[in-house]
């Protein structure tokens, strides 16, 4: 892909946020917390069903430049909005707003600090992000993780020894304060990411994970269908509900554990959405078992199989995503929608030398069909959240 190396764009964002923080809050920026978005190779809509997922952190991230100050102040630079209050107890964010994610993290982090007799220090934070919003790349998880890391940086202490605990705190912030009943995958990927590796994450507590290398000759493209979606409204919660109820009916703690025999035996007791949830979970498990991440052909094949299930069984795709995926597959790539679906992005895996050609063809195909441009970016498996000292 002919693209300005993203590391330099992130650096420029950090400098911009630092200058803005200085100008708006009159404080000297102390640190930049950087938390990436993610894609997921396979295992979609199974993190809340106790399944195994295979995400990697991408080189697009949320940046929170922070400094201790006299008040709690947050500047959402990309939205040109500000949120400030004198004390943590004055926070009253509307559920689902960007402020609610911050309120969640601050409230939960304050509790963790309080248990160690540390008071949440007032701080000023300037936030900007290169993770496209509402596109299935976990921009909101990146926001929560960036804020949590900024809290750690300002207090010069880790909130937890175990990085997965930090991911859990961010997940709870999103669930309880923003109102999205999400799983652990997005926050875990943002926290755990490693260069050139994907994370094999078991999404049941106690969570466990290990890393697997991604093929070096493979390029990953993310194609934005332009159809925006919101997890907070309806569909995602309904899917999750169906998954939980299907597990109950099939007599398993997690839907991921249901077998084909269970499904056949109890099929008539399941509602249509519950049956779809169970069939999809079973399919994703088969995909995961068939997957050898070092084998490019297997990877592409399983991506395609996963999309088919998301489209036909779970029914979370849309014509724009199906079109992108079909174009990519016609060109010999593997592709599927990524994240919750209902719009957002498709992930395309293709041998590196073909990446530019495939990206251009996908764009042309999309423009011909929808008379619209779709954005295509290349992403690489990247390191997880970190704090950079600016002082
Ligand atoms: C969203 C949620 C995740 C996961 C995916 C679907 O990204 O935040 O927890 O459920 O959808 O795999």
């Amino acid at each position: 892909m002919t693209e300005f190396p993203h590391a330099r764009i992130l650096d420029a964002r950090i400098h911009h946020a630092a200058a803005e923080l200085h100008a708006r809050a009159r404080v000297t920026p102390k640190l930049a917390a950087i938390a990436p978005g993610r894609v997921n190779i396979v295992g979609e809509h199974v993190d809340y069903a106790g399944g195994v997922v295979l995400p990697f952190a991408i080189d697009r991230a949320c940046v929170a430049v922070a400094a201790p100050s006299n008040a709690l102040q947050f500047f959402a630079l990309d939205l040109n909005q500000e949120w400030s209050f004198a004390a943590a107890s004055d926070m009253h964010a509307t559920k689902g707003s960007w402020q609610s994610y911050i309120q969640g993290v601050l409230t939960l982090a304050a509790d963790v600090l309080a248990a160690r007799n540390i008071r949440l220090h007032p701080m000023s934070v300037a936030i900007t992000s290169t993770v496209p919003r509402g596109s299935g790349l976990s921009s909101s998880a990146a926001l929560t993780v960036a804020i949590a890391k900024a809290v750690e940086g300002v207090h010069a202490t880790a909130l937890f020894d175990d990085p997965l605990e930090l991911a859990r705190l961010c997940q709870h912030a999103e669930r309880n304060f923003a109102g999205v009943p999400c799983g652990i995958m997005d926050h875990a990927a943002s926290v755990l990411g490693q260069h050139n590796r994907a994370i094999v994450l078991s999404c049941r507590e106690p969570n466990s994970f290990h890393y697997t290398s991604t093929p070096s000759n493979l390029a990953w493209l993310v194609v934005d269908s332009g159809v925006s979606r919101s997890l907070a409204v309806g569909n995602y919660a309904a899917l999750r509900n169906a998954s939980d109820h299907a597990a109950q009916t099939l007599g398993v703690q997690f839907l991921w554990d249901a077998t084909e025999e269970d499904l056949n035996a109890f099929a008539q007791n399941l509602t249509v959405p519950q049956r779809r949830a169970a069939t999809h979970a079973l399919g994703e498990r088969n995909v995961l078992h068939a997957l050898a991440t070092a084998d490019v052909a297997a990877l592409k094949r399983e991506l395609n199989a996963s999309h088919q299930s998301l489209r036909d069984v779970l029914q979370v795709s849309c014509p724009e995503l199906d079109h992108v995926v079909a174009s990519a597959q016609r060109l010999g790539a593997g592709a599927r929608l990524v994240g919750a679906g209902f719009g957002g992005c498709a992930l395309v895996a293709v041998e590196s030398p073909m990446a530019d050609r495939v990206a251009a063809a996908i764009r042309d195909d999309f423009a011909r069909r929808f008379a619209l441009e779709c954005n295509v970016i290349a992403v690489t498996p990247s390191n997880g959240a970190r704090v950079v000292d600016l002082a």
Side-chain angles (χ1 to χ4, degrees), residues 1-364:
M1 297 289 299
T2 46
E3 207 168 273
F4 193 60
H6 200 73
R8 278 201 258 159
I9 296 178
L10 264 186
D11 276 351
R13 289 295 187 99
I14 293 173
H15 284 121
H16 170 67
E20 288 293 322
L21 189 69
H22 185 67
R24 295 179 189 219
R26 297 178 199 290
V27 292
T28 307
K30 177 177 158 66
L31 60 100
I34 302 159
R38 64 97 193 90
V39 293
N40 182 22
I41 299 177
V42 289
E44 217 65 272
H45 284 281
V46 297
D47 59 347
Y48 51 76
V52 176
V53 295
L54 192 65
F56 63 78
I58 58 174
D59 49 345
R60 314 275 149 158
C62 178
V63 170
V65 171
S69 71
N70 300 324
L72 283 153
Q73 282 182 306
F74 295 86
F75 303 98
L77 300 179
D78 306 339
L79 305 174
N80 202 18
Q81 290 177 16
E82 175 184 341
W83 192 45
S84 15
F85 35 91
S89 51
D90 296 337
M91 289 183 286
H92 297 295
T94 311
K95 243 186 185 177
S97 62
W98 64 269
Q99 291 94 334
S100 66
Y101 291 86
I102 294 177
Q103 176 171 359
V105 174
L106 290 188
T107 307
L108 299 174
D111 289 348
V112 174
L113 292 170
R116 302 202 320 236
N117 290 325
I118 303 171
R119 281 182 60 144
L120 184 73
H121 201 293
M123 55 191 201
S124 300
V125 187
I127 305 157
T128 180
S129 183
T130 65
V131 186
R133 270 196 305 280
S135 298
L137 301 180
S138 293
S139 54
S140 54
L143 170 63
T144 58
V145 175
I147 298 298
K149 295 303 273 185
V151 170
E152 290 192 335
V154 165
H155 295 80
T157 185
L159 289 168
F160 304 100
D161 295 334
D162 177 356
L164 274 171
E165 285 290 329
L166 191 76
R168 243 174 252 131
L169 180 145
C170 293
Q171 180 200 10
H172 290 156
E174 187 154 352
R175 293 178 66 138
N176 301 336
F177 292 81
V180 183
C182 57
I184 184 85
M185 171 171 74
D186 305 347
H187 315 85
S190 184
V191 169
L192 299 174
Q194 275 198 4
H195 183 58
N196 282 345
R197 286 163 148 215
I199 306 153
V200 185
L201 174 71
S202 161
C203 298
R204 64 182 64 182
E205 291 192 25
N207 302 92
S208 59
F209 68 94
H210 62 272
Y211 293 100
T212 181
S213 297
T214 49
S216 55
N217 59 337
L218 208 61
W220 300 96
L221 307 177
V222 170
V223 185
D224 195 338
S225 69
V227 180
S228 77
R229 33 154 284 260
S230 162
L231 284 187
V233 290
N235 294 348
Y236 183 83
L239 287 170
R240 193 188 163 129
N241 229 340
S243 167
D244 291 350
H245 283 108
Q248 266 170 31
T249 306
L250 297 178
V252 287
Q253 192 186 354
F254 296 107
L255 194 52
W256 185 257
D257 297 334
T259 61
E260 197 116 10
E261 293 72 48
D262 295 333
L263 200 55
N264 290 337
F266 295 103
Q268 68 284 11
N269 299 349
L270 297 171
T271 63
V272 172
Q274 290 166 9
R275 196 168 324 132
R276 285 193 188 131
T279 310
H280 172 72
L282 221 101
E284 288 290 270
R285 204 176 63 202
N286 292 340
V287 160
L288 199 101
H289 288 157
L291 192 77
T293 46
D295 176 348
V296 172
L299 243 169
K300 292 199 287 192
R301 192 176 56 240
E302 301 312 327
L303 279 177
N304 296 344
S306 175
H307 183 77
Q308 197 176 339
S309 176
L310 288 159
R311 182 191 62 203
D312 300 340
V313 179
L314 208 58
Q315 305 191 349
V316 295
S317 191
C318 63
E320 289 82 354
L321 280 171
D322 290 342
H323 189 78
V324 169
V325 167
S327 299
Q329 291 173 350
R330 239 190 338 270
L331 296 155
R336 71 173 189 79
L337 72 84
V338 68
F342 318 112
C345 290
L347 176 68
V348 177
V350 60
E351 287 80 354
S352 305
M354 286 167 61
D356 279 341
R357 198 165 60 77
V358 167
I362 290 173
R363 274 197 209 98
D364 287 351

